[in-house]
Amino acid sequence: MLPSELTPAPLERLSALLERGGTLVLTGAGVSTESGIPDYRDELGNWKRSPPIQFREFTGSEASRRRYWARSLLGFRVLGEARPNRAHRALADLERQGRISGIVTQNVDGLHQAAGARNVVDLHGRIDQVTCLSCGERTPRATLQRELARLNPEWTALPARIAPDGDADPGELDTSGFRVPDCACGGMLKPDVVFFGENVPKARVESAMAALERAASLLVVGSSLMVFSGYRFVRAAERLGIPVAVVNRGHTRADGVAEVKVDGDAASTLDQVARRLC
Ligand code: APR
């Protein structure tokens, strides 16, 4: 162990790790905050707001569904217009240069792909898609957004604070009159994202795990890793002897095992690394 003044700075160690190539990147809400999409937890890993809706609550209560879609009509306005930031662009550049092998994201915003990343696993699904719980048909969220606006014109201009996952907080509002369309088959529509209380589809986890098994290292960016669905990749990396690096503002559950931890902003850190290596 070198005396601390001789230890290469974390940014240099991160660059050296990525320079070797074959890094799989696991991202979370922190990569998208610069795009105006809030994260869930603070720098200590505690919830910043009330936890998102549970799958059972959504499917089991019509009142909850009305409330969900009313808030989502407002939230999607912002999310649908969000653009990739420097973190997404740097990761896409690093992928093009062969430094990273792919991205597994817990985010549902599609911003990695919008920045040009090609090999992306959307672990928790995509908010720009809607699925029918009866017939399984997937349709664009933009279509449903137009239909929600047509059925509820008085809602479209309400001010609301944006929340994660395309949710919004308009304050206490009576949503009992909010109209929610069904699928053409009569089934219940749900955003094509994994809600709390739902499992990530097995095939998706397996393809992300297979990518990890082929990887030379795992880089976690902008995730507290408080949710097992992401944390399991750090546990697997430990088992496989794959080195782990972290870029995150604040605490993560990988801090104890990370060979490199950059406690800072994802966008400026990745931007600097990409400039060095690309
Ligand atoms: N740069 C670096 N880190 C940041 C930035 C930033 N610009 N902005 C926020 N962060 C950090 C926060 O301090 C926090 O530690 O990113 C982390 C985000 O963690 P979470 O909010 O817990 O998000 P995430 O880990 O993606 O959550 C996982 O939880 O609710 C579920 O399904 C949801 O996919 C989500 C999952």
Side-chain angles (χ1 to χ4, degrees), residues 28-30 33 39-41 106 124 196 223-224 227 248-249 264-266:
T33 50
D39 51 4
Y40 304 85
R41 298 174 188 81
Q106 299 165 86
H124 295 167
F196 262 87
S223 175
S224 66
V227 173
N248 195 65
R249 223 158 47 200
D265 178 55

Side-chain angles (χ1 to χ4, degrees), residues 14-206:
L14 177 62
S15 302
L17 187 99
L18 285 164
E19 198 165 15
R20 297 207 287 268
T23 299
L24 181 72
V25 182
L26 171 67
T27 66
V31 290
S32 291
T33 50
E34 195 175 278
S35 295
I37 303 170
D39 51 4
Y40 304 85
R41 298 174 188 81
D42 63 19
E43 297 181 11
L44 298 173
N46 298 317
W47 283 104
K48 286 180 166 179
R49 47 180 66 79
S50 49
I53 190 166
Q54 297 262 343
F55 180 70
R56 220 190 290 175
E57 188 190 344
F58 182 88
T59 52
S61 152
E62 198 177 328
S64 296
R65 278 197 301 284
R66 284 186 204 286
R67 186 164 174 277
Y68 175 87
W69 284 115
R71 293 165 61 108
S72 181
L73 169 62
L74 305 174
F76 191 72
R77 280 190 316 217
V78 177
L79 199 72
E81 286 175 6
R83 293 289 164 262
N85 65 52
R86 289 176 302 159
H88 301 107
R89 287 195 294 273
L91 289 173
D93 286 346
L94 288 163
E95 185 191 34
R96 268 192 294 276
Q97 300 287 329
R99 308 294 187 189
I100 69 176
S101 55
I103 300 171
V104 175
T105 186
Q106 299 165 86
N107 300 341
V108 296
D109 53 33
L111 292 181
H112 287 299
Q113 292 90 336
R118 283 185 295 257
N119 189 13
V120 182
V121 176
D122 294 300
L123 203 57
H124 295 167
R126 286 283 294 254
I127 198 76
D128 60 359
Q129 296 285 310
V130 174
T131 183
C132 171
L133 292 182
S134 297
C135 72
E137 192 191 14
R138 281 203 173 83
T139 48
R141 170 57 198 272
T143 309
L144 179 65
Q145 183 76 357
R146 281 195 295 276
E147 186 60 3
L148 287 169
R150 191 185 67 77
L151 292 170
N152 306 280
E154 67 285 9
W155 276 80
T156 55
L158 285 181
R161 205 158 47 91
I162 173 89
D165 278 353
D167 189 16
D169 186 3
E172 278 310 309
L173 284 177
D174 178 7
T175 53
S176 58
F178 192 86
R179 296 170 63 198
V180 180
D182 289 326
C183 175
C185 80
M188 186 188 293
L189 295 176
K190 176 184 164 290
D192 195 15
V193 302
V194 178
F195 277 167
F196 262 87
E198 254 187 302
N199 289 324
V200 178
K202 200 163 165 252
R204 224 181 272 167
V205 177
E206 283 172 359

